[in-house]
């Protein structure tokens, strides 16, 4: 349709003006390829738009396109170790768990380079474990259990690795007020009563990492409890020294575990102000004779500082704390990657099980982290873990539930935007947290095209040798500007050049439709010679005006600076509105029959009852049904007065038959519709609708007539007879009921009179009794 073609044209224009390659206004091939991976540089087409999308350059017939691609090269690819426990013992540096180990990437701006890393947990991997214990007075009973920890833990860990070393350190608090009491007596023995405690200290490295469990038991057995005043302890100072004093602790490049055991909270950065200590912790080693000597000088480290140092030194932390402080250390765990929290019993009796469980938890998860990325470089991860689980985004950095011998892989995309300012290749490192192994990736940025090497310096094609002709265009020497280096900067500054080519101090140079040459816009040429850009800022063109019927300005005008200039008798943004009113004249020579307005050569009826091209049709006016009755009757049923002339007089509408009245169309807003009900000579009813739809007259008629039916004699006679019988029965019942009522009234009257009758009760004088009574005179009643 016309609308679709207009949309397609608009979309093409949008693509052209939204083309990032052209918008970049690249002056050289090197600048072009840094815009994005879609951009290419045409070296053989003499056009200002040498930098364009690859598909556009091909369509324009460019045969020589500079489009360099990134690449990668593996420099070190040692296979992961497939070692079984009990096999020949290997040095830690000979065990490989991540592959490859070193790569070199050539990065093209906007084009990602994908690398695949493989990780496999090696069996019987060496472990260094440093036990850092709080020796404040509340940990007295815990110390008794830890004294035998060395040999017991060595025995338990031998089930996991044959190369295990253990060390021990202790901490209390900074040796200044208000953390400890500084009275001479309390400095010698900070405990109360007859308790014998050692002097307070910040941190001591008691035992360097060793494989001798008996030595651990011996040295730890000689340790004494100390004391302090406040509840939080100075454990962060101790953690920092354990992390950064690798030589004193004896860390190897193996799995490094630190167990932090306490029954209290912790001080952190800023708390040192209570003791007058304001210098931030410097993150350096300050151990002398295995004792931290700068606790009174440097503040506690911050959590972020600890995270940095623990990560740099590949130390995994296990917080063994009492139930009371579980919530605090669980929050701390969330801030420190590759750390775990275990619940320590009141006397540390469960510490071995706690350490083994925490180690299994930490070692079953691998999390990749990368060093700081160069400016403009981004990195994304996708992990393919055990049982086919695929993670992306931040979760793409890690895999969980990994057992010894399991192999997982990571797909990593590295993308550069632009070109690095550094001359030398830059590098980034990717490593699994808690492991000493890492992958080094060298980054080389593609900043120039291959044709740059073949440039002709001081070429005559660049205005008498004022530039280097390379990749089909001039790269001007210092102090020269312009397409062919024809301008001098001291004559007109670059800022002035740009300013003179920007309309209304905008950001677009020459409206993105041309090039600024010595402060003047040179507009681009179009493939169609009849289409052109114009104006001081190339802001005008003669091909982007509104269209009608797929014609520019409707074919009734010309396009000037994106606005249609219409011919006589035409108006509108696309010159599609005719001012000629002859098409609006009705049969009575009135404009729109006097019932509408003529707009662009078409009537707009103001009376909603009227319609049609000249507002002469009124399908709902009175008399419409009667007017069309005879024609509907003859065409639908072959009856009526016009049945003989039906074909001649009644072919002006389309007849559509429907089965019943429910199928007749209902009134809608699109066009008026009249429902009709008429009766024929036989007293039969027929139903139809009359409507005018876009000048087409339509009649929908119910195909069956509704005729009155004759009377049914039998039901009538039966009804009359039944009625008479029922009336007779009703009369008999009424008579019987009246007789019963009358009889009951007479009987009641008789009973009443009987009760009221009076009878004489005197004896008959003539009557003599038949009974004679004789009394014995001798009877005395005995």
């Amino acid at each position: 349709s016309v609308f679709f073609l207009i949309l397609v044209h608009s979309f093409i224009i949008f693509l052209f003006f939204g083309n990032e390659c052209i918008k970049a206004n690249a002056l050289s091939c090197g600048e072009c390829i840094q815009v994005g991976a879609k951009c290419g540089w045409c070296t053989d087409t003499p056009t200002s738009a040498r930098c364009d999308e690859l598909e556009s350059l091909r369509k324009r017939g460019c045969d020589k396109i500079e489009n360099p691609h990134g690449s990668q090269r593996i420099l070190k690819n040692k296979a992961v170790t497939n070692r079984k426990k009990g096999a020949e013992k290997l040095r830690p540096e000979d065990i490989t768990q991540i592959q490859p180990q070193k790569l070199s990437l050539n990065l093209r701006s906007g084009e990602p380079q994908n690398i695949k890393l493989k990780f496999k947990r090696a069996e019987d991997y060496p472990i260094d474990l440093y036990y850092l214990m709080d020796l404040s007075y509340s940990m007295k009973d815990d110390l008794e259990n830890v004294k035998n920890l060395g040999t017991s833990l060595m025995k338990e860990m031998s089930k996991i690795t044959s190369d295990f070393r253990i060390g021990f350190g202790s901490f209390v608090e900074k040796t200044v007020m208000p953390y400890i009491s500084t009275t001479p007596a309390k400095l010698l023995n900070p405990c109360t009563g007859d308790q014998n405690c050692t002097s307070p200290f910040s941190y001591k490295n008691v035992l360097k990492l060793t494989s001798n469990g008996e030595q651990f038991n011996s040295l730890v057995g000689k340790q004494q409890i100390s004391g302090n005043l406040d509840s939080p302890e100075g454990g962060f100072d101790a953690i920092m020294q354990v992390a950064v004093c690798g030589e004193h602790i004896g860390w190897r490049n193996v799995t490094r575990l630190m167990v932090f055991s306490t029954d209290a909270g912790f001080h952190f950065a800023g708390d040192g102000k209570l003791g007058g200590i304001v210098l931030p912790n410097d993150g350096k080693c300050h151990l002398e004779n295995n004792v931290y000597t700068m606790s009174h000088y440097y503040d506690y480290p911050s959590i972020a500082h600890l995270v940095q140092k623990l990560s740099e030194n590949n130390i995994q932390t296990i917080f063994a704390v009492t139930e009371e402080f579980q919530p605090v250390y669980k929050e701390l765990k969330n801030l420190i990657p590759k750390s775990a929290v275990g619940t320590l019993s009141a006397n540390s009796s469960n510490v071995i099980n706690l350490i083994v469980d925490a180690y299994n938890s930490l070692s079953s998860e691998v999390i990749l982290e990368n060093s700081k990325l160069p400016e403009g470089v981004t990195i994304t991860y996708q992990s393919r873990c055990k049982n086919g689980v695929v993670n992306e985004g931040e979760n793409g950095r890690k895999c969980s539930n990994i057992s010894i011998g399991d192999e997982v892989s990571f797909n990593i995309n590295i993308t550069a935007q632009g070109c690095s300012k550094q001359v030398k290749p830059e590098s980034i490192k990717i490593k699994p947290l808690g492991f000493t192994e890492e992958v080094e990736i060298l980054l080389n940025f593609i900043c120039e095209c291959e044709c740059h090497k073949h440039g002709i310096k001081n070429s005559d094609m660049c205005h008498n040798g004022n530039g280097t002709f390379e990749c089909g265009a001039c790269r001007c020497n210092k102090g020269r500007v312009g397409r062919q280096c024809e301008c001098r900067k001291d004559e007109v500054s670059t800022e002035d050049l740009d300013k003179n080519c920007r309309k209304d101090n905008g950001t677009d140079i020459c409206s993105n439709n041309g090039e600024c040459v010595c402060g003047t816009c040179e507009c681009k040429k179009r493939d169609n010679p009849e289409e052109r850009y114009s104006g001081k800022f190339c802001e005008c063109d003669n091909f982007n005006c509104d269209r009608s019927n797929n014609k520019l300005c409707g074919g009734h005008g010309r396009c000037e600076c994106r606005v249609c200039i219409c011919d006589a008798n035409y108006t509108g943004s696309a010159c599609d509105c005719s001012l000629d009113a002859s098409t609006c004249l009705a049969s009575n020579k009135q404009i729109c029959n006097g019932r509408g307005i003529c707009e662009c050569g078409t009537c707009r009826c103001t009376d909603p009852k009227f319609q049609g091209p000249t507002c002469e049709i009124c399908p709902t006016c009175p008399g419409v049904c009667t007017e069309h009755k005879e024609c509907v009757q003859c065409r639908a049923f072959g009856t009526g007065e016009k049945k003989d002339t039906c074909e001649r007089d009644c072919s002006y509408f389309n007849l559509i038959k429907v089965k019943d009245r429910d199928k007749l169309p209902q009134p809608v807003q699109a066009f008026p519709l009249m429902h009709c009900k008429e009766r024929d000579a036989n007293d039969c009813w027929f139903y139809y609708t009359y409507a005018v739809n876009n000048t087409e007259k339509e009649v929908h008629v119910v195909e069956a007539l509704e005729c009155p039916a004759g009377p049914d004699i039998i039901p009538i006679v039966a009804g009359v007879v039944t009625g008479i019988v029922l009336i007779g029965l009703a009369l008999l019942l009424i008579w019987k009921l009246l007789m019963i009522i009358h009889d009951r009234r007479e009987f009641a009257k008789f009973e009443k009179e009987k009760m009221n009758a009076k009878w004489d009760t005197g004896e008959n004088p003539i009557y003599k009794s038949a009974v004679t009574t004789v009394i014995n005179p001798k009877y005395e009643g005995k």
Side-chain angles (χ1 to χ4, degrees), residues 47-48 483 509-517 520-526 532-541:
T47 173
S48 59
R483 185 185 297 177
I509 297 177
C510 298
S511 305
N512 286 332
N513 297 322
E515 290 187 353
C516 187
V517 180
T520 303
C521 284
E522 289 189 4
C523 299
K524 296 177 182 176
K525 305 296 183 183
R526 300 278 295 179
R532 60 187 179 276
Y533 292 105
S534 60
K536 180 181 178 181
F537 305 100
C538 302
E539 75 277 16
C540 296
D541 63 59

Side-chain angles (χ1 to χ4, degrees), residues 629 632-633 637 676-678 680 684-688 705:
K629 170 188 173 181
V632 173
Q633 187 178 355
F637 309 107
C676 300
K677 177 183 177 182
E678 297 293 337
D680 62 9
C684 294
W685 295 95
F686 58 95
Y687 300 88
Y688 67 94
L705 294 167

Side-chain angles (χ1 to χ4, degrees), residues 499-651:
K499 184 177 180 180
N500 292 336
C501 295
R502 289 191 177 101
K503 183 180 179 182
D504 300 329
N505 291 325
T507 57
D508 294 334
I509 297 177
C510 298
S511 305
N512 286 332
N513 297 322
E515 290 187 353
C516 187
V517 180
C518 298
T520 303
C521 284
E522 289 189 4
C523 299
K524 296 177 182 176
K525 305 296 183 183
R526 300 278 295 179
D527 292 338
N528 186 345
E530 295 183 0
E531 297 178 355
R532 60 187 179 276
Y533 292 105
S534 60
K536 180 181 178 181
F537 305 100
C538 302
E539 75 277 16
C540 296
D541 63 59
N542 66 342
F543 54 86
N544 269 324
C545 291
D546 291 342
R547 294 173 177 264
S548 178
N549 294 326
N550 202 28
K551 294 180 180 180
L552 194 66
C553 298
H556 302 297
R558 65 186 185 279
C559 181
E560 292 185 2
C561 202
R562 304 185 182 183
V563 177
C564 285
I565 307 299
C566 300
D567 297 339
N569 289 330
Y570 285 93
T571 187
S573 62
C575 300
D576 53 351
C577 181
S578 173
L579 300 177
D580 184 8
S582 60
T583 55
C584 295
L585 287 176
S587 56
N588 56 7
K589 302 303 179 182
Q590 288 185 328
I591 298 294
C592 299
N593 195 30
R595 301 183 183 277
I597 301 172
C598 186
E599 294 180 349
C600 301
T602 303
C603 284
R604 180 173 64 83
C605 301
T606 54
D607 190 335
K609 294 190 298 183
F610 288 85
Q611 57 182 191
T614 55
C615 303
E616 294 181 274
I617 301 172
C618 180
T620 60
C621 292
V624 170
C625 293
T626 304
E627 178 184 353
H628 303 290
K629 170 188 173 181
E630 296 298 335
C631 282
V632 173
Q633 187 178 355
C634 78
R635 289 190 59 183
F637 309 107
T639 60
E641 296 179 0
K642 291 188 177 182
K643 65 179 181 180
D644 296 330
T645 60
C646 190
E647 186 175 350
R648 182 190 66 192
D649 298 339
C650 301
S651 58

Side-chain angles (χ1 to χ4, degrees), residues 715-731:
I716 295 174
V717 173
V720 172
V721 172
T722 302
I724 294 173
V725 172
L726 292 176
I727 292 172
L729 291 174
L731 292 174

Side-chain angles (χ1 to χ4, degrees), residues 401-428:
N401 301 320
I402 302 174
S403 303
I404 293 175
D406 288 343
E407 184 176 293
V408 297
S409 63
F410 295 87
N411 287 322
I412 303 173
N413 281 328
I414 299 177
T415 308
Q417 294 295 337
C419 192
S420 174
K421 298 177 182 178
Q422 299 293 331
V423 178
K424 295 181 179 180
E426 299 196 46
S427 69
I428 60 174

Side-chain angles (χ1 to χ4, degrees), residues 76 102 192 205 213 223 238 250 275 307 463 500 590 611 692 760:
K76 187 177 180 181
K102 189 173 183 179
T192 58
N205 178 27
Q223 300 303 303
V307 170
H463 196 73
N500 292 336
Q590 288 185 328
Q611 57 182 191
V692 180
D760 188 3

Side-chain angles (χ1 to χ4, degrees), residues 140-182:
K140 181 179 179 181
D141 54 344
D142 300 79
L143 179 60
E144 294 300 320
N145 284 308
V146 175
K147 287 179 179 179
N148 297 317
L149 177 66
T151 53
S152 301
L153 188 58
M154 294 284 289
K155 181 179 179 182
E156 190 66 30
M157 294 300 288
S158 65
K159 300 176 183 178
I160 300 173
T161 177
S162 60
D163 188 358
F164 176 71
R165 298 198 310 168
I166 188 170
F168 185 83
S170 59
F171 66 91
V172 181
E173 186 56 275
K174 287 185 181 295
T175 54
V176 296
M177 282 288 287
Y179 311 109
I180 66 168
S181 176
T182 56

